[in-house]
Amino acid sequence: MVDLGAKPEAASLQNCFRQETSHLEGRRILDRASRSSVTLSDCGDGGYSEMEPMLAERRLSGEDSDKEEEEEDCEEEGHRSDALNMPKESPLAMALQILVPFLLAGFGTVSAGMVLDIVQHWEAFQYITEIFILVPALLGLKGNLEMTLASRLSTAVNVGKMDSPIEKWNLIIGNLALKQVQATVVGFLAAVAAVVLGWIPEGKFQMSHAVLLCSSSVATAFIASLLQGIIMVGVIVGSKKTGINPDNVATPIAASFGDLITLAILAWISQGLYKCLDSYPYVSSLVCAFFMCLTPVWIVISSKHPASRTLLYSGWEPVITAMVISSIGGLILDKTVSDPNLVGIVVYTPVINGIGGNLVAIQSSRISTHLHFHCAPGEVPDEAKGCYYPCRTFCGSGANHRSAQVLVLLVIPGHLIFLYTIHLMKSGHTTLTPIFMSVYLAAAMLQVLLLLSIADWMVHSMWRSGKDPDSFSIPYLTALGDLLGTALLALSFHFLWLIGDQDGDVGD
């Protein structure tokens, strides 16, 4: 940024003033120039292709400003003026905007936990225990797809890329089609991972169970992703019209009923296909083939829109890696649920995983939007340079520091509300003793602190390497949230059992 302490010459001031007064006309010229001459291949070294649809106009402005030193100063001044248009929020306003969707998301995960506590006794879940491996991977789709979509569209709203109706619907349709492709493929790969992870420890393999897992996973991923994608678009457009910062509300609302919807669909489809397994064994194969055959249609639609075309080829690494990470968490859940002494873990798993993922998704989305406003691709703020240290995330007065502090303060009160909700609904198999609550809250706080620290490092690292954090960071972070949450919860229940705080009949 230009040194504000130095006094510019009078002529420079006049030039800057004239440029400011003709700002709209200049932007129209840049728009015409970018439409006629800037393409994805005009990226120089091509290192920032993922961010090109969002940042082409910014880059063109930066190239033009290199012609003369005075124009460069004025252009940077204009960029600073644009950055000042970023929503300004006090910690209280930020907390109030986050609180309602955070509570909605929390109650959604509580509902999902109660549903999982019920369906674990169904025949399909008892005889095909690999379905438990699918649970974190499919619930993690909200982080891989819905939250990523919410983060991308939130950034698009904040930088003004959805002001034009044509551009807005191009972004929406392209991203929805891309999401359906990813959901179908990830659902299929999650089933393959569940079969492999279930087969390796036990050495048993049944083709009929493998086909059922594949059909259940693909159908659940497709239907849940479509429903949640439509809801997500409505939230983003509604936030824009009401003047609410979508970074604060979009990602939690994306997860508010995502877990419940996904888990309910998975349980219903799995149980239905299991009942047809003996009398109509071909039904599972037909269901899987039907949804897989729709994939080329979504590929054609998403490839027609520049905003999603690049991610159609380059956006697979994070979602597939995140699916593998979540599947490892699912294996931990499968082995823990198999122990009759630890049956109470089921109802709390979606809660701790969902809350941690929601909070870190908010922080990731906010940091990404901040970088889009204030930094050129490949450059990071001064405070983010050098080796990472945890105090960098939580200590300071910057916007990202304040949001991290607010999110940490929500952890304990939020989990207390959700724990007592489960208790009042007489669900679960664990009594809310003081020692249980202390151990559970310690695990939840440790999970969120680790996730927020990782998010700070990961988002800045991805931006520095030329990858758009909106598309790449949230899948990794929510998958890590699932793995950390499940592992810490399993350790907590083992610890409670060892010290004698043990009961497995509550709610029966």
Side-chain angles (χ1 to χ4, degrees), residues 398-413:
N400 294 329
H401 300 109
R402 291 196 302 271
S403 61
Q405 295 160 9
V406 169
L407 294 174
V408 168
L409 291 176
L410 289 174
V411 175
I412 301 297

Side-chain angles (χ1 to χ4, degrees), residues 19 26-39 42-43 51-52 54-67 71 75 79 161 376-377:
Q19 182 167 340
R27 290 295 292 270
R28 286 195 293 269
I29 293 173
L30 289 176
D31 287 339
R32 289 196 297 271
S34 64
R35 284 194 296 268
S36 61
S37 61
V38 176
T39 64
D42 297 330
C43 303
M51 291 180 286
E52 199 62 30
M54 189 74 69
L55 301 174
E57 182 175 323
R58 178 186 288 268
R59 179 171 302 164
L60 182 58
S61 300
E63 291 174 354
D64 290 345
S65 65
D66 290 335
K67 293 181 180 179
E71 291 181 1
E75 194 66 36
H79 279 250
K161 299 298 289 185

Side-chain angles (χ1 to χ4, degrees), residues 130 191-192 194-200 202-211 213:
E130 291 83 2
V192 173
V195 171
V196 173
L197 292 175
W199 168 67
I200 290 177
E202 299 179 0
K204 298 178 181 179
F205 177 80
Q206 288 185 267
M207 180 58 69
S208 59
H209 289 185
V211 175
L213 284 172

Side-chain angles (χ1 to χ4, degrees), residues 132-150:
F132 284 106
I133 302 178
L134 286 178
V135 170
L138 292 180
L139 297 188
L141 283 178
K142 70 177 186 298
N144 297 353
L145 305 179
E146 275 73 37
M147 288 183 177
T148 303
L149 172 67

Side-chain angles (χ1 to χ4, degrees), residues 465-482:
S465 64
K467 294 181 178 180
D468 187 358
D470 283 326
S471 300
F472 285 83
S473 63
I474 291 182
Y476 289 119
L477 293 170
T478 54
L480 286 172
D482 292 342

Side-chain angles (χ1 to χ4, degrees), residues 126-323:
Q126 288 186 329
Y127 291 101
I128 309 178
T129 59
E130 291 83 2
I131 297 177
F132 284 106
I133 302 178
L134 286 178
V135 170
L138 292 180
L139 297 188
L141 283 178
K142 70 177 186 298
N144 297 353
L145 305 179
E146 275 73 37
M147 288 183 177
T148 303
L149 172 67
S151 184
R152 284 202 299 266
L153 295 184
S154 296
T155 299
V157 168
N158 282 326
V159 301
K161 299 298 289 185
M162 292 183 69
D163 293 338
S164 167
I166 296 178
E167 193 170 15
K168 176 177 72 176
W169 287 111
N170 282 341
L171 279 170
I172 290 173
I173 294 174
N175 277 282
L176 286 179
L178 170 68
K179 198 162 69 67
Q180 291 307 115
V181 176
Q182 292 177 328
T184 305
V185 174
V186 171
F188 176 78
L189 294 178
V192 173
V195 171
V196 173
L197 292 175
W199 168 67
I200 290 177
E202 299 179 0
K204 298 178 181 179
F205 177 80
Q206 288 185 267
M207 180 58 69
S208 59
H209 289 185
V211 175
L212 185 146
L213 284 172
C214 182
S215 302
S216 300
S217 181
V218 170
T220 299
F222 184 93
I223 298 171
S225 180
L226 182 61
L227 292 176
Q228 294 175 70
I230 295 172
I231 295 173
M232 206 62 263
V233 170
V235 170
I236 296 292
V237 175
S239 298
K240 181 177 184 296
K241 291 184 178 179
T242 55
I244 297 175
N245 183 2
D247 280 322
N248 290 339
V249 300
T251 49
I253 290 179
S256 59
F257 300 106
D259 287 347
L260 179 60
I261 292 173
T262 303
L263 191 54
I265 294 174
L266 174 64
W268 176 69
I269 292 179
S270 300
Q271 184 68 11
L273 293 178
Y274 181 80
K275 290 183 176 179
C276 297
L277 205 57
D278 294 329
S279 54
Y280 305 100
Y282 55 86
V283 172
S284 295
S285 302
L286 291 178
V287 170
C288 183
F290 171 76
F291 287 105
M292 294 296 293
C293 288
L294 292 177
T295 303
V297 177
W298 300 114
I299 292 176
V300 171
I301 296 174
S302 62
S303 65
K304 293 182 179 296
H305 302 280
S308 56
R309 185 185 302 124
T310 304
L311 291 173
L312 184 62
Y313 300 102
S314 65
W316 291 99
E317 175 191 342
V319 295
I320 293 177
T321 306
M323 180 273 299

